[in-house]
Amino acid sequence: MEEKVLVVDDEKEIADLVEVYLKNEGYQVFKFYDGTSALQCAQTQQIDLALLDVMLPDLDGFTLCQKIRQEHYYPIIMLTAKVEDMDKITGLTLGADDYITKPFNPLELIARVKAQLRRSHRYNQVQAVPEEEIDIRGLYINKTNHHCTLHGRELLLTPKEFSILWYLCSHQGCVVSSEELFEAVWNEKYLDSNNTVMAHIARLREKMHEPPRNPRFVKTVWGVGYTIE
């Protein structure tokens, strides 16, 4: 089944170029040059991802993003010529999942589209078949009663430490980035140079008596993220 991408940009050349690259990757594209028409499409079509330009002649991209988020949870990527940090933060605060600054490489845009769709599908699959308890080589974790043991010994974890461990266990075999982990546990947008996840992982390993250089459970994939194999 073709995944449906909503594209809105008042610069016709950019919108047409993005459409060509998306169609070459097999996506079905709904293309508009104004925010009002795009909003009508978002309200009537089953969209999988939206690419929204910030500067539009009628309904700006920030407002469009906010209105879409009132009813839908699919990924939103903002296209913006603005480079100010506050513009980026505004978009993320209003519900955008990513942003890309013009001029951009179309191949990078396609890569980001694919990454957001993969994350969205993986999240939905996990939500569709929720697990309440997991046992991985003697590491037992129960989501219902927030109980966790390692080889029969209880681990006294803080709520955040428990949530991190649960997320990694429920995604066993996958590498989870710091950004994804932070947004899943803290329910906030991840900003660059955020060491919160690293600090919590270190405390979690300490409580699990994990060897720092060769942990048995929570492993680091350098430059990518964390995983439980």
Side-chain angles (χ1 to χ4, degrees), residues 66-101:
Q66 192 173 28
K67 288 183 176 294
I68 290 176
R69 271 291 171 262
Q70 291 175 359
E71 299 181 13
H72 305 286
Y73 298 98
Y74 50 74
I76 295 176
I77 300 176
M78 306 298 296
L79 304 177
T80 174
K82 296 185 175 182
V83 296
E84 292 85 353
D85 287 339
M86 281 309 300
D87 289 314
K88 299 174 184 177
I89 293 172
T90 298
L92 295 173
T93 301
L94 292 176
D97 298 278
D98 197 2
Y99 60 85
I100 187 166
T101 304

Side-chain angles (χ1 to χ4, degrees), residues 13 101 116 159 181 219 223:
E13 296 79 5
T101 304
Q116 289 296 333
L181 201 51
K219 297 180 180 294

Side-chain angles (χ1 to χ4, degrees), residues 2-151:
E2 286 184 326
E3 292 174 300
K4 300 177 181 179
V5 179
L6 173 64
V7 176
V8 53
D9 197 311
D10 65 333
E11 295 184 68
K12 186 176 185 299
E13 296 79 5
I14 293 179
D16 293 348
L17 178 65
V18 170
E19 179 185 29
V20 169
Y21 274 83
L22 287 170
K23 284 187 173 181
N24 285 342
E25 294 294 327
Y27 298 110
Q28 182 178 353
V29 179
F30 295 86
K31 179 184 64 178
F32 300 93
Y33 306 123
D34 66 275
T36 302
S37 300
L39 180 60
Q40 293 175 349
C41 176
Q43 293 171 336
T44 57
Q45 295 289 336
Q46 289 290 106
I47 301 296
D48 295 294
L49 181 143
L51 292 166
L52 310 180
D53 183 27
V54 171
M55 303 299 292
L56 296 171
D58 52 350
L59 193 66
D60 68 84
F62 293 141
T63 302
L64 181 56
C65 174
Q66 192 173 28
K67 288 183 176 294
I68 290 176
R69 271 291 171 262
Q70 291 175 359
E71 299 181 13
H72 305 286
Y73 298 98
Y74 50 74
I76 295 176
I77 300 176
M78 306 298 296
L79 304 177
T80 174
K82 296 185 175 182
V83 296
E84 292 85 353
D85 287 339
M86 281 309 300
D87 289 314
K88 299 174 184 177
I89 293 172
T90 298
L92 295 173
T93 301
L94 292 176
D97 298 278
D98 197 2
Y99 60 85
I100 187 166
T101 304
K102 299 177 183 178
F104 54 82
N105 184 328
L107 294 179
E108 179 186 354
L109 177 63
I110 294 299
R112 296 211 188 184
V113 167
K114 291 181 177 180
Q116 289 296 333
L117 286 172
R118 280 197 305 269
R119 178 184 298 181
S120 175
H121 294 332
R122 187 165 66 183
Y123 174 80
N124 289 333
Q125 288 170 359
V126 171
Q127 291 295 97
V129 187
E131 296 179 272
E132 296 302 324
E133 58 181 5
I134 299 174
D135 192 335
I136 301 175
R137 303 190 311 276
L139 173 62
Y140 172 80
I141 184 167
N142 188 305
K143 188 178 182 181
T144 303
N145 57 22
H146 274 234
H147 184 66
C148 182
T149 61
L150 180 58
H151 301 306

Side-chain angles (χ1 to χ4, degrees), residues 42 57 81 102 110 121 153-155 174 178 203 225:
K102 299 177 183 178
I110 294 299
H121 294 332
R153 179 177 61 85
E154 184 176 4
L155 297 180
C174 299
S178 294
R203 287 197 292 270

Side-chain angles (χ1 to χ4, degrees), residues 173-227:
C174 299
V175 180
V176 180
S177 68
S178 294
E179 176 184 355
E180 179 180 346
L181 201 51
F182 182 86
E183 293 179 1
V185 173
W186 277 266
N187 293 314
E188 298 176 11
K189 290 299 177 183
Y190 180 90
L191 300 178
D192 292 338
S193 302
N194 190 328
N195 295 320
T196 303
V197 171
M198 185 186 301
H200 279 73
I201 290 288
R203 287 197 292 270
L204 182 59
R205 285 172 171 163
E206 184 178 343
K207 290 184 177 182
M208 296 174 69
H209 299 290
E210 288 268 73
R213 295 192 176 185
N214 187 28
R216 293 161 297 189
F217 290 97
V218 183
K219 297 180 180 294
T220 299
V221 180
W222 294 108
V224 184
Y226 303 95
T227 185

